[in-house]
Amino acid sequence: MHLERVAVVGLGYVGLSLSCALASKGFKVIGLDKDYEKVRMIEKGLTPIYEEGLDKVLGEVLDNGNLKLTQSYEEMINWTDICFICVGTPSRPDGSIDLSYVEDASRMIGKCLRNKKKYYLVVVRSTIPPGTTVNVVKKVIEEESGKRLTDYGLCFNPEFLREGKALQDIFNPDRIVIGCLDETSGEALLDFYKSFHGDNVPPVLVTTPTNAELIKYANNAFLAMKISFINMISQLCQNLPGADVKVVAEGIGMDKRIGREFLDAGLGWGGSCFPKDTIGLLKFGESIGVRLPILEATIEVNDSQISNAIALAEKLVGGVYGKNIAVLGLAFKPGTDDVRESRSIRLIEKLLERGARVRVHDPKALEKSREVLKNKVSYASCIEECLQNADLCILATEWSEYKGLKREMLEKLMKHPALLDCRRIYDPREFKGIKFAAIGLGEPSI
Ligand code: UGA
């Protein structure tokens, strides 16, 4: 089956990166988003999010006409053979997942499929709790379209994209997971990926939609657990003279069964995925009467890293009340301007609660941080300005720009040079002679 014309619903980082990647390989893509401003912005070649390399590809695919944008489901479905649903699945206040955007998209697609004569494949990429493809998407599409599976196709196909590296991960994924109920749908999607990846098709797992949905949650939960594990060990190291979590991570990471990735101790995990997905899975378990204690502990340890950092800061400068604190890094991780669930922002809020005066810097996320922190902090346009007259500098997001920080610079600019490394990017030996502490380091000079 040759599915050439592609629709993408929802132009967040997942949908927009997918649209651009497909269009850059010659597929004809039409992207839809309900947000009028976002559509206008993308049409002008502007990316609403910072993604490495994305603006360049977007410009190219708009210029060569491979990517079009619309707000009309009818136009989109009439014109295409396959549709990827990439809409958001936000948390409700209790942490359970709000599926209303997925339901809306399914309803609109279903309505438009009523008059579609040709085979059409619907692929859900949004992260959804196990059972949703069958119990919500399929049900709604069939109610609205009057069609039954095999008249149309349906798959759940999770994405494993990292923000900031989304294009790279689309072109070179570790694997493709296809969840489908019927063979035709699975084969149609596999053929589609074969035409996208050419000779380099990654390993493929074809399974039920429920397994595929669970794979996505379990994958993120496992990664979050790995980080929380090393953060738990970091708390142990801090209370053990001579211990250093970086070395411990290196040592256990050499075991191939463990691996070194996602063992960087620090302030913990943030972003739009791990926090939402861990609590989402916990709530899903609850809804079917299953407790997930490892996941509960994963979240608990993550939260405790903020108080851990605050305790180190307090100790380092003798209480943060009234102190001028320079915080380097606001994005939830380097390489993005996203501050959703950023640990740095959480830390800053705690510092403010304790009466500290905070000045912040970030190479990309200043603008987005302003929307959250408003005038509660002051904003510096460069590292030097941020450090000026400060009593303490906290490294909160490990941008490469911050790696070159030198002791002399802190001594020259700060009122009382003191550095708290919350992402373990500095060599403590280079900061001998000034106050220095780091997460997971058993011998800080305090
Ligand atoms: C994560 C997953 O890595 C992707 O595979 C997944 O597709 C995505 O969620 C999603 O569900 O859409 P992302 O949220 O972009 O991607 O961020 P990561 O690079 O995984 O980092 C998450 C958080 O963990 C960041 O706050 C980062 O600073 C922190 N982290 C990561 C650590 O504290 N230590 C580490 O060793 C690694």
Side-chain angles (χ1 to χ4, degrees):
M1 201 173 306
H2 203 51
L3 308 170
E4 217 172 43
R5 291 175 177 261
V6 190
V8 177
V9 179
L11 299 174
Y13 91 94
V14 172
L16 183 58
S17 312
L18 179 67
S19 305
C20 289
L22 292 169
S24 76
K25 288 246 181 158
F27 288 88
K28 297 286 176 199
V29 182
I30 183 160
L32 178 147
D33 201 287
K34 64 183 176 53
D35 182 341
Y36 176 79
E37 292 305 324
K38 194 185 267 182
V39 170
R40 292 290 85 88
M41 198 174 163
I42 297 170
E43 259 173 352
K44 286 186 203 147
L46 302 168
T47 50
I49 35 146
Y50 172 74
E51 262 303 323
E52 202 179 293
L54 190 63
D55 43 358
K56 185 169 168 276
V57 181
L58 176 63
E60 285 163 9
V61 296
L62 287 171
D63 283 350
N64 66 20
N66 281 353
L67 176 65
K68 295 204 298 178
L69 294 138
T70 186
Q71 289 211 286
S72 156
Y73 273 92
E74 217 181 323
E75 182 196 2
M76 181 188 82
I77 299 290
N78 283 342
W79 194 75
T80 56
D81 316 304
I82 173 172
C83 172
F84 288 92
I85 300 179
C86 303
V87 298
T89 47
S91 298
R92 294 200 193 94
D94 72 347
S96 62
I97 302 300
D98 176 357
L99 291 171
S100 55
Y101 299 130
V102 172
E103 275 184 67
D104 291 348
S106 308
R107 189 168 305 110
M108 296 306 292
I109 292 166
K111 273 194 198 348
C112 300
L113 283 183
R114 193 165 269 278
N115 302 317
K116 186 101 182 165
K117 300 273 180 302
K118 244 178 107 187
Y119 182 81
Y120 197 91
L121 181 63
V122 180
V123 183
V124 186
R125 287 219 112 194
S126 307
T127 299
I128 47 177
T132 307
T133 305
V134 174
N135 300 329
V136 179
V137 182
K138 179 171 178 286
K139 185 168 160 276
V140 173
I141 291 180
E142 296 191 353
E143 270 167 16
E144 297 293 338
S145 66
K147 295 194 187 232
R148 292 286 166 268
L149 256 190
T150 67
D151 293 340
Y152 80 104
L154 178 61
C155 293
F156 176 71
N157 169 225
E159 51 79 20
F160 301 101
L161 315 179
R162 292 160 300 170
E163 263 184 59
K165 299 265 180 271
L167 281 180
Q168 195 180 308
D169 290 346
I170 294 174
F171 290 122
N172 297 303
D174 287 348
R175 77 304 209 182
I176 294 172
V177 175
I178 296 177
C180 54
L181 294 169
D182 66 315
E183 249 177 57
T184 316
S185 302
E187 277 169 12
L189 186 57
L190 187 53
D191 282 349
F192 177 81
Y193 277 123
K194 282 183 180 161
S195 59
F196 178 74
H197 289 289
D199 294 337
N200 291 315
V201 182
V204 177
L205 176 71
V206 180
T207 181
T208 61
T210 304
N211 278 337
E213 289 157 340
L214 195 52
I215 286 169
K216 169 67 193 188
Y217 273 101
N219 206 96
N220 274 358
F222 191 91
L223 292 172
M225 176 190 74
K226 215 175 160 189
I227 301 167
S228 283
F229 179 84
I230 202 67
N231 281 335
M232 175 186 78
I233 300 294
S234 82
Q235 297 188 16
L236 201 60
C237 290
Q238 268 166 236
N239 291 287
L240 262 180
D244 182 346
V245 75
K246 262 184 100 163
V247 183
V248 177
E250 196 187 326
I252 63 173
M254 283 169 163
D255 185 325
K256 288 195 191 75
R257 295 166 301 177
I258 297 175
R260 175 63 186 79
E261 281 185 75
F262 279 70
L263 284 181
D264 290 325
L267 279 183
W269 36 269
S272 65
C273 305
F274 288 178
K276 173 174 82 84
D277 292 352
T278 45
I279 184 97
L281 187 56
L282 212 57
K283 287 287 163 185
F284 174 75
E286 234 170 61
S287 75
I288 59 167
V290 181
R291 246 197 80 202
L292 304 171
I294 295 182
L295 204 51
E296 286 170 12
T298 296
I299 296 169
E300 191 189 315
V301 170
N302 200 50
D303 289 340
S304 71
Q305 282 304 77
I306 298 291
S307 27
N308 181 20
I310 294 281
L312 281 177
E314 296 263 8
K315 216 167 154 191
L316 198 56
V317 294
V320 298
Y321 182 85
K323 298 276 167 37
N324 293 323
I325 301 187
V327 175
L328 298 179
L330 298 161
F332 85 92
K333 65 172 186 180
T336 174
D337 62 350
D338 197 342
V339 296
R340 282 177 290 175
E341 297 287 330
S342 163
R343 311 304 293 163
S344 168
I345 305 270
R346 183 75 66 87
L347 178 74
I348 291 166
E349 280 163 350
K350 291 273 176 239
L351 290 169
L352 292 170
E353 271 170 30
R354 284 175 161 68
R357 280 191 293 268
V358 179
R359 189 182 294 148
V360 299
H361 176 264
D362 190 283
K364 291 271 182 255
L366 270 191
E367 210 177 302
K368 292 211 166 134
S369 302
R370 265 182 223 275
E371 292 163 23
V372 187
L373 293 169
K374 309 227 159 40
N375 59 2
K376 289 188 275 182
V377 301
S378 54
Y379 299 86
S381 54
C382 63
I383 302 175
E384 287 78 4
E385 185 190 341
C386 193
L387 294 175
Q388 200 72 49
N389 226 20
D391 300 292
L392 170 64
C393 169
I394 303 182
L395 183 279
T397 309
E398 67 279 28
W399 285 96
S400 56
E401 282 87 336
Y402 300 142
K403 291 191 176 151
L405 203 67
K406 296 272 176 286
R407 198 191 66 195
E408 298 73 40
M409 198 171 156
L410 302 181
E411 283 171 338
K412 190 172 143 221
L413 295 166
M414 294 175 71
K415 188 153 76 182
H416 302 111
L419 176 61
L420 172 57
D421 181 0
C422 289
R423 293 287 180 184
R424 299 307 312 269
I425 64 172
Y426 300 121
D427 181 347
R429 287 168 302 189
E430 291 186 7
F431 294 90
K432 275 228 160 77
I434 68 164
K435 289 181 180 174
F436 179 88
I439 278 182
L441 186 64
E443 271 180 350
S445 60
I446 49 180

